Amino acid sequence: MSNCKTISICNQKGGVTKITSTVNLGVGLAMQGKKVLLVDADPQGDLTTCLGWQDTDSLGITLATKLSDVMNETMNDPISGILHHEEGVDLLPANLELSAMDFNLMNAMSRETTLKNYLSAVKDKYDYVLIDCMPSLGMITLNALSASDGVIIPVQAQYLPAKGMTQLVSTISKVKKYINPNIKIDGILLTLVDNRTNLARSTVEASRNSFGNQAKIYRSQIPIAVKAAETSSKGKSIYAYEPKSTVAKAYTDFTKEVLADGRKKERLHASDAR
């Protein structure tokens, strides 16, 4: 049985540094010696572009290819098409072909678990699989949640996203009830934090009050910074682009929290087994 942990990075609101957080958590885990697969589950292909593959249309094998292979039972080599980034993470890329999958999955026999079935063929090669979800709750995102052990929700600390968060938490609860009983919300990551403003501080406090009983709020907070935004056009992580920045320090601390949660879960499994 694979010890790989699959995490969806999910929020149906855009502009919360979801992709930046996926990249920097993934590279952060790789820097700690973990084998990491990033899965771009957004037809826009922004994660793929962010890691340096600008011409996504020229990619011959993408997530859409793998989902089609599972649905048509034509999978020959699950690993083919996975790209390797110089900072030590692997990537299953995406492009606009994935947009047709929301419709195609509706008629599939295993429509909610197609991605899970694919990942089961490659998970034994990785310690972590991080899925960058599109900012909507369609069939692709449902597949991501069905394949995941946990969900990390990046939330912009400049406003209180109560309505969107409530909808996402409700969707995760339904997935847990009907499809994937093992899924849980690992935590909420506060991003774009500007502690110089009263609004940001009050929003952080309001987030803790509103959602602290539903999910852990990570101690690490990602500060607002121009350098972090610039990395998306450079094809590299914040560690390679600006290693001494406050953002790099924040993502290092966040990575350590995610690893600590993983070790805690392993200890619980070990004690249950005994």
Side-chain angles (χ1 to χ4, degrees):
M1 183 178 170
S2 171
N3 289 322
C4 176
K5 177 163 186 180
T6 303
I7 302 172
S8 279
I9 318 290
C10 196
N11 190 331
Q12 70 265 40
K13 185 191 182 300
V16 296
T17 71
K18 181 171 57 66
I19 295 162
T20 306
S21 297
T22 306
V23 169
N24 290 310
L25 174 57
V27 173
L29 290 167
M31 289 167 66
Q32 296 294 321
K34 301 300 181 184
K35 294 174 182 170
V36 182
L37 173 65
L38 306 181
V39 178
D40 192 344
D42 187 338
Q44 296 296 323
D46 289 340
L47 176 64
T48 303
T49 304
C50 192
L51 284 167
W53 284 274
Q54 301 289 332
D55 185 11
T56 57
D57 289 340
S58 69
L59 294 168
I61 300 176
T62 63
L63 176 58
T65 317
K66 299 304 185 187
L67 295 178
S68 294
D69 283 345
V70 172
M71 287 190 288
N72 298 322
E73 297 184 355
T74 53
M75 183 74 67
N76 291 318
D77 181 7
I79 296 297
S80 66
I82 290 179
L83 307 171
H84 187 70
H85 190 268
E86 61 188 11
E87 292 184 66
V89 293
D90 285 356
L91 169 70
L92 181 56
N95 57 23
L96 275 174
E97 284 182 14
L98 190 62
S99 57
M101 275 295 145
D102 255 348
F103 177 77
N104 293 345
L105 282 165
M106 291 298 291
N107 300 312
M109 286 289 288
S110 54
R111 62 184 188 176
E112 295 100 352
T113 56
T114 303
L115 177 55
K116 181 179 182 179
N117 291 340
Y118 166 69
L119 289 177
S120 67
V122 298
K123 280 174 70 169
D124 61 343
K125 294 173 174 55
Y126 297 99
D127 300 305
Y128 283 89
V129 174
L130 305 182
I131 307 173
D132 174 50
C133 299
M134 69 173 82
S136 73
L137 295 174
M139 283 302 299
I140 301 288
T141 302
L142 189 58
N143 262 261
L145 296 175
S146 300
S148 294
D149 304 299
V151 184
I152 291 173
I153 307 172
V155 172
Q156 185 178 344
Q158 295 172 351
Y159 80 116
L160 186 61
K163 185 177 179 184
M165 278 288 291
T166 302
Q167 186 183 0
L168 178 57
V169 170
S170 171
T171 299
I172 293 167
S173 297
K174 287 175 183 171
V175 169
K176 185 178 183 71
K177 183 175 181 181
Y178 296 110
I179 305 168
N180 178 7
N182 298 318
I183 194 173
K184 73 181 194 70
I185 300 174
D186 285 345
I188 294 169
L189 174 66
L190 295 169
T191 67
L192 301 173
V193 177
D194 185 354
N195 283 318
R196 298 169 301 178
T197 67
N198 290 329
L199 173 62
R201 284 195 292 271
S202 64
T203 304
V204 168
E205 194 55 39
S207 297
R208 292 189 191 283
N209 293 337
S210 297
F211 304 113
N213 63 334
Q214 294 172 313
K216 161 185 175 174
I217 310 256
Y218 288 105
R219 291 189 306 277
S220 308
Q221 297 177 3
I222 310 304
I224 191 166
V226 174
K227 291 293 183 188
E230 287 175 358
T231 59
S232 59
S233 63
K234 305 297 181 183
K236 57 180 71 172
S237 74
I238 192 68
Y239 309 108
Y241 186 63
E242 195 74 15
K244 298 190 185 308
S245 64
T246 55
V247 178
K249 169 74 166 63
Y251 275 118
T252 298
D253 292 342
F254 171 52
T255 300
K256 289 175 180 173
E257 281 194 75
V258 171
L259 282 168
D261 287 349
R263 286 192 292 270
K264 194 184 304 177
K265 187 176 178 183
E266 284 172 15
R267 284 198 297 271
L268 285 171
H269 279 319
S271 63
D272 286 348
R274 284 199 299 272

